[in-house]
Structure formats: structure tokens, C-alpha cells
Amino acid sequence: MSDFTSDFWNWYIIGLTAASIAFCAWLLLSMAKVKAPSGKAKTAPAAGGKEVEITGHIWDGDLAEFNNPLPRWWMWLFWITIAFSIGYLALYPGLGTVRGTLGWTSAGAYAKESAEMDAKVKPLYDKYLAMNLQQVAADPAARGMGERIFLNNCAQCHGADAGGSTGFPNLRDKDWLWGGAPETIKESVTNGRMGVMPALGAALGGEANVKNVVAYVRSLSGLSHDGTRAQLGKAQFDTICAACHGVDGKGNQALGAPNLTDKIWLYGSSEAVIAEGINKGRNVNVTAGSTTMPAFKTQLTPAKIHLAAAYVWGLGGGTPPAAAEPAAAPAPAPAAPAAAAPEAKK
């Protein structure tokens, strides 16, 4: 990859561009006066009875090519093109890493246009940002905006219909790795998620024990399994796997550990696929500092994240927000001190 970031390519592009312009100029100069070589040129009668020099190329008996330089007006058009290209390269980037005197960049132009558009639509975004996700999900216009944001940023993994695929969750069902409450979905979109299953083949003690655990895991969701192996695998599951998936196998949304009892499988439910997950783990080679689901807080504004989260929540799989705990009853006001008895008269 370093071959494409070295300074060589900068000078290569500069040299190639300059040589192309210089070649065009030389070609125009050479064609300004050059005629066909002597000995090949011929003469032929023209209108008015004059003899004219031709190149010797004749078609249909009387259609000949005059041996003349290029027309001046045509040459001036080419010279104007060359002058324009030199001026353009002086003002704008085009010669390798030379930025041009105007300092224009496509990234800068995009940022400027994006900022201008954001300023225009800010009142609309602010309106939806002030609403909770359930209200946004119920607004048809807001759902349409959220859908477009989803299609541009999320559909690459979760699909245009949000139905997911192997390794990418379905966002339309009730099965959630991290939770389907409105604010939880918004947190997932904002900061991403790091779901990792460690490789446990060695910890389980080898292939036979892995097969036992596979049989037990399949039994949890009612899939066909070897009963004897499942009984042997339960003890190993309770010792090693239950730390994340729970003793009942129903998962732990605080860790992103999936529910193994609901017949919904992210990678597949075959014995081979489950064994692969146990032996090799899932997402164990994620680059340091990244997440298996990317964080969109640097790509999308808070308002766009709000709209996207509302769209996902409204697809049908979202769960109601957690009920707020009732406010504690206010402590009773302290009793007013009793009025002092009037002092007895002496």
C-alpha cells in the first residue's frame, strides 16, 4: 500500500500532466506550417481553373485532400484549451498534491455544502429531537426521514428491509442482543456495540466436550440432539457458558450475550456452526479501538441518530421504554413547635 502513498506518484502525475500539455502545444506548432513531404504532393484543378496542391489522397475520382495547414480558427480553439488547462491547474488541484492557489478541495466543498444544508433543515431536526422516540416513530414524515437515514447508513449490514443476515441481527423481531427499548437502540447507534464471544474449545477440554455442549445448546431451543451428550454438556455449560448466557441460557443483554432458547440464531443453528462458534469464538479479532457494530456519533448528527433509532424502534420489534420508578412520597413536614405557655404571673 505504501507504493501508492509515496512521493513518486505525486511527481509522476505532475510530469505526465505537464508532458501531455507540452505535447499538445508542440503538435499544434508543428501542424501550423507542415505540408505533405515533397514528392508525394500533387496538383489538381480546382474551382476557377486554378491548380492547387493536394496530398495525393483522392476518393471517388474527384474528391481530393488539399495539402494545407490546419485552419487558424481551429488551431486557436486548441490554444485556448491549453491556456484554460494551465489556468485551471494553477487555481485548482490537478498536479499531484499541489492544491492550487484557491485552496479548493472536494472535501472542503462537501463540508461547506453539508453545513449549509444542515443549517436549512436544522429547525425541522430540532423539532423531532425535542420529541421522544415513540412520538417520532408515530410521525409518518419523521419515519420517512429515519428510513432514508437507515438505508444510507445501516442497510449495508442489516439489509434494506432491516431483516438482517448471517452475523447481522434482524431488527424487526423481538430478539435483541442489547435490548430494544428506545434509549437502548439510540445508545447502540450512537456508540456502537462490541459483542465478543471468546474461543472456548480448549477451556471445555477438547472436541468431545464441545459436542456435548453443542447438544445441550440445541436442546435449549428444542432442536434435535443427542440426549446423552446433552446431559453431559449441561454441567460444562453451567460451569463455563452460563457466566454470559445465564444458567437458563436466556442470555444477558448487559453483555450482548444472545438468548439460546428462542430459536433465533445469528450465525445458524447447525451442529457444525455452533461448534465453530465455541471453538473459534465470534468477533475475537476485532481491531483494537473499533467495535463490531460501528459508532455513528462521528458520522451522524444527534438529530439524525434520533430519527434512525426511532425508525428502527418502530419496525415492530422495539420494546416499550422502561417504566420510570414512582417518585418517592415527600417526607411529612415537621410538626410546628407547640406554643410556649404564657408565663404565670407572680
Side-chain angles (χ1 to χ4, degrees):
M1 188 64 185
S2 61
D3 291 343
F4 294 96
T5 57
S6 68
D7 201 45
F8 165 78
W9 294 105
N10 171 48
W11 290 107
Y12 173 81
I13 294 173
I14 291 175
L16 185 63
T17 304
S20 299
I21 295 174
F23 175 77
C24 289
W26 171 83
L27 187 62
L28 286 172
L29 288 172
S30 63
M31 292 293 103
K33 298 180 180 180
V34 170
K35 295 184 177 183
S38 58
K40 294 185 178 179
K42 301 178 180 179
T43 59
K50 296 193 303 182
E51 291 286 326
V52 295
E53 188 177 354
I54 62 174
T55 61
H57 301 152
I58 301 175
W59 298 270
D60 298 330
D62 59 353
L63 180 61
E65 180 183 7
F66 287 6
N67 191 22
N68 292 327
L70 290 174
R72 290 290 179 183
W73 64 269
W74 196 358
M75 292 187 63
W76 276 112
L77 287 178
F78 281 105
W79 281 116
I80 292 172
T81 302
I82 291 174
F84 174 83
S85 65
I86 294 173
Y88 179 92
L89 293 172
L91 297 173
Y92 295 97
L95 290 173
T97 58
V98 177
R99 298 185 62 182
T101 56
L102 295 181
W104 182 93
T105 64
S106 58
Y110 172 78
K112 180 175 179 291
E113 292 175 7
S114 297
E116 291 173 352
M117 180 55 67
D118 288 343
K120 289 181 181 179
V121 299
K122 187 178 186 301
L124 179 62
Y125 280 125
D126 288 346
K127 167 190 169 183
Y128 292 126
L129 192 57
M131 300 163 60
N132 63 44
L133 263 71
Q134 303 95 290
Q135 293 171 327
V136 176
D139 187 303
R143 281 183 56 79
M145 293 172 65
E147 180 181 20
R148 289 187 288 274
I149 294 170
F150 178 91
L151 292 174
N152 286 333
N153 297 276
C154 315
Q156 293 86 342
C157 294
H158 294 284
D161 62 352
S165 62
T166 302
F168 302 103
N170 182 345
L171 303 178
R172 298 180 304 177
D173 59 22
K174 298 290 185 181
D175 185 69
W176 295 90
L177 294 175
W178 301 91
E183 292 306 316
T184 304
I185 296 174
K186 189 173 180 179
E187 170 69 16
S188 297
V189 178
T190 302
N191 295 314
R193 293 295 184 182
M194 174 62 82
V196 175
M197 173 176 170
L200 297 173
L204 288 172
E207 182 179 354
N209 289 339
V210 169
K211 289 183 177 180
N212 294 340
V213 173
V214 169
Y216 177 69
V217 168
R218 286 174 58 85
S219 74
L220 291 174
S221 57
L223 297 173
S224 60
H225 61 279
D226 184 311
T228 302
R229 283 193 176 278
Q231 291 180 3
L232 295 172
K234 183 181 186 307
Q236 295 160 326
F237 181 93
D238 291 345
T239 301
I240 296 177
C241 310
C244 294
H245 294 283
V247 176
D248 57 1
K250 292 188 176 181
N252 184 344
Q253 291 185 344
L255 301 174
N259 184 346
L260 303 177
T261 68
D262 60 6
K263 299 183 181 181
I264 296 176
W265 297 86
L266 191 59
Y267 291 92
S269 61
S270 69
E271 293 182 357
V273 170
I274 297 174
E276 179 186 36
I278 294 172
N279 282 317
K280 299 180 180 179
R282 297 292 182 189
N283 302 322
V284 293
N285 295 319
V286 177
T287 305
S290 66
T291 56
T292 51
M293 173 180 165
F296 284 90
K297 60 186 176 183
T298 58
Q299 296 174 240
L300 300 176
T301 63
K304 290 182 179 179
I305 290 175
H306 195 70
L307 285 163
Y311 171 74
V312 171
W313 184 85
L315 288 172
T319 59
E325 295 184 5
E343 186 179 352
K345 293 183 178 179
K346 294 182 180 179

